[in-house]
Amino acid sequence: MRDRLRNGVRALTRPAGPLPPLSRRGQVFDAVLALGLGLAAIQAGDDSFPDRAQMMNCPLPEADGLPPQPCAPVWPPFLPIENDQSTASTVVLVLLVVLPLVFRRRYPLGVLWIVLALATAVSENPAALRLSFFACVIAGYTAAVFSPYRLPALASLPVAALLHNSLQSDASSVSDSAVPYLILLPIAVAADGLRRWKHRADEGQARMSAMEHEQAEAVRRATEHERARIARELHDVVTHNVSVMVIQAGGARKIMDTAPDQAREALLAVEASGRSAMTELRHVMGLLTMQGSGPDPAGGADLAPQPGLDEIDRLVQRMRETGLPIELIRTGPPRPLPSGMELTVYRLVQEALTNIVKHAAGASVRVTLAYGEDHLQVEVADTGGRPGTSAGTGTGRGLIGLRERLAVYGGVLQAGPRLSGGYRIHARIPVEVS
């Protein structure tokens, strides 16, 4: 129980946050406020104050049959300073009372406690005690608004009220003429606070709306990017395998009667291509259907590794089985590459071979992988041929997808016809030197 009480007290007395920043204008305002309050109290010590007080205390006119009634004594907001040997000490006390207000927004709670201590010290001087009451009002407001120690600050306010109530006397009590100002001042401060709060609330709402708009725009862009990525992946997977299956099935149909053994091999190649397509499609769809919660977000998705440079030999062999003569050349010492970069190179060769099957039937192909010191060059060139039966089904997304893939790694793609005939695709990918 003792530990709980100790922790509770620490939580209540812990600062709620840092002090608000104090501008140069705020510092000047606090200094002017303290100096002006002190000068106003000192100015109240001229000789005309007792005469004006006497005029304000004159008896009321006689009523019918009633004796005259004296007026209640009323002093201006500040008490006069008597012109005697104690005048200098009173001026010093007045300035001492208002001096802490210069630091009221730097040390809000400390200034309030100092003002209360000074009120006790000057309790024998009515003019200084009257001024300390106004200083206490300003310090109490500052502590309640600016102090990060909210609970001690709020608890100090009733203590200040009780202290001044016990210190005030008939000579130093607040006059009736000051009551309207003491009422209007908190109203004005509260109105200004409400205006500032509404302004901050409007700014906060505007910022929140802007953030929501930016978030919605970011989600939209991310969705479009993901759709393009999925379309690119499906295009690379489906187009290649289906094109190979179409060619192999067409070849099997033509030789089915004359060479049934070769037709059987072509159909087996069609089956292998179909299985390869299903494997890669299952991988893509598994990624799309992953669950985002739980200890295993992938669930039961087939997350087999994506094809890389090691699979290019198998890709080339599969294309050779369709009757496409391909020469694979590797130059330079091989080096390990990031899996994403290897997948990009694999998709580039795959897309290039697919286009050759569709648009250059009967062509010879050369695939070159050249490892440089700080780059990898990939080239797929053909000698030209006749368009295939599926040449008119292209959408142009293949080369666009390849450029997008290469741009991720800072690579560039060049594609165009060769002077000697045929078509050439060349890519250069920078490789980080370890």
Side-chain angles (χ1 to χ4, degrees), residues 65-314:
L66 295 177
Q69 300 292 332
C71 298
V74 177
W75 287 102
F78 300 104
L79 291 180
I81 300 175
E82 299 179 359
N83 295 320
D84 53 16
Q85 64 273 13
S86 63
T87 300
S89 61
T90 302
V91 171
V92 172
L93 291 178
V94 166
L95 295 178
L96 185 63
V97 166
V98 298
L99 180 61
L101 297 181
V102 177
F103 310 98
R104 67 186 185 95
R105 277 187 282 189
R106 293 182 182 176
Y107 313 100
L109 189 56
V111 167
L112 175 59
W113 290 345
I114 292 175
V115 168
L116 293 179
L118 290 175
T120 305
V122 301
S123 58
E124 299 299 330
N125 190 306
L129 183 58
R130 171 75 67 84
L131 183 61
S132 70
F133 172 76
F134 295 109
C136 181
V137 171
I138 297 174
Y141 162 77
T142 305
V145 173
F146 297 105
S147 176
Y149 300 93
R150 293 301 174 86
L151 184 62
L154 295 178
S156 299
L157 297 182
V159 173
L162 293 175
L163 178 62
H164 271 278
N165 183 59
S166 63
L167 294 178
Q168 297 293 334
S169 61
D170 294 338
S172 61
S173 60
V174 179
S175 64
D176 295 338
S177 62
V179 173
Y181 299 99
L182 296 179
I183 295 176
L184 291 176
L185 181 61
I187 294 177
V189 171
D192 181 71
L194 288 175
R195 181 185 64 81
R196 293 177 181 272
W197 173 81
K198 185 178 182 301
H199 181 68
R200 287 196 298 267
D202 293 340
E203 289 183 348
Q205 186 175 4
R207 287 195 300 269
M208 185 64 68
S209 299
M211 291 176 60
E212 291 178 354
H213 178 73
E214 292 176 359
Q215 184 178 8
E217 185 66 18
V219 170
R220 185 188 64 81
R221 289 195 300 267
T223 302
E224 292 180 355
H225 178 74
E226 190 65 16
R227 286 176 177 174
R229 189 187 69 83
I230 295 172
R232 181 174 63 241
E233 195 72 21
L234 291 176
H235 172 274
D236 293 342
V237 171
V238 175
T239 303
H240 169 76
N241 288 284
V242 172
S243 297
V244 172
M245 291 168 63
V246 169
I247 293 175
Q248 291 172 332
R253 177 180 55 81
K254 293 179 180 179
I255 62 175
M256 184 176 297
D257 296 332
T258 58
D261 294 336
Q262 296 181 5
R264 185 179 301 106
E265 293 179 359
L267 291 177
L268 290 175
V270 170
E271 182 181 359
S273 298
R275 288 177 178 175
S276 176
M278 289 301 299
T279 299
E280 295 197 43
L281 283 175
R282 191 179 299 112
H283 174 83
V284 175
M285 299 307 295
L287 293 177
L288 295 177
T289 57
M290 284 195 312
Q291 299 178 357
S293 60
D296 185 12
D302 182 7
L303 300 182
Q306 289 276 48
L309 296 181
D310 295 338
E311 298 293 327
I312 290 182
D313 291 325
R314 186 179 303 178

Side-chain angles (χ1 to χ4, degrees), residues 21-32 101-102 104-105:
L22 180 60
S23 63
R24 178 68 63 179
R25 181 181 300 177
Q27 296 177 5
V28 173
F29 176 80
D30 292 344
V32 171
L101 297 181
V102 177
R104 67 186 185 95
R105 277 187 282 189

Side-chain angles (χ1 to χ4, degrees), residues 309 312-313 316-317 320 325-334 345 349 353 364-372 376-382 418 425-427:
L309 296 181
I312 290 182
D313 291 325
V316 169
Q317 181 61 32
R320 286 171 179 166
I326 302 178
E327 180 184 6
L328 178 60
I329 302 174
R330 284 188 171 93
T331 62
V345 175
V349 175
L353 295 179
S364 299
V365 184
R366 184 180 70 252
V367 178
T368 305
L369 299 178
Y371 292 90
L376 171 65
Q377 296 191 63
V378 183
E379 182 179 282
V380 180
D382 64 82
R418 303 170 60 191
I425 292 179
H426 179 269

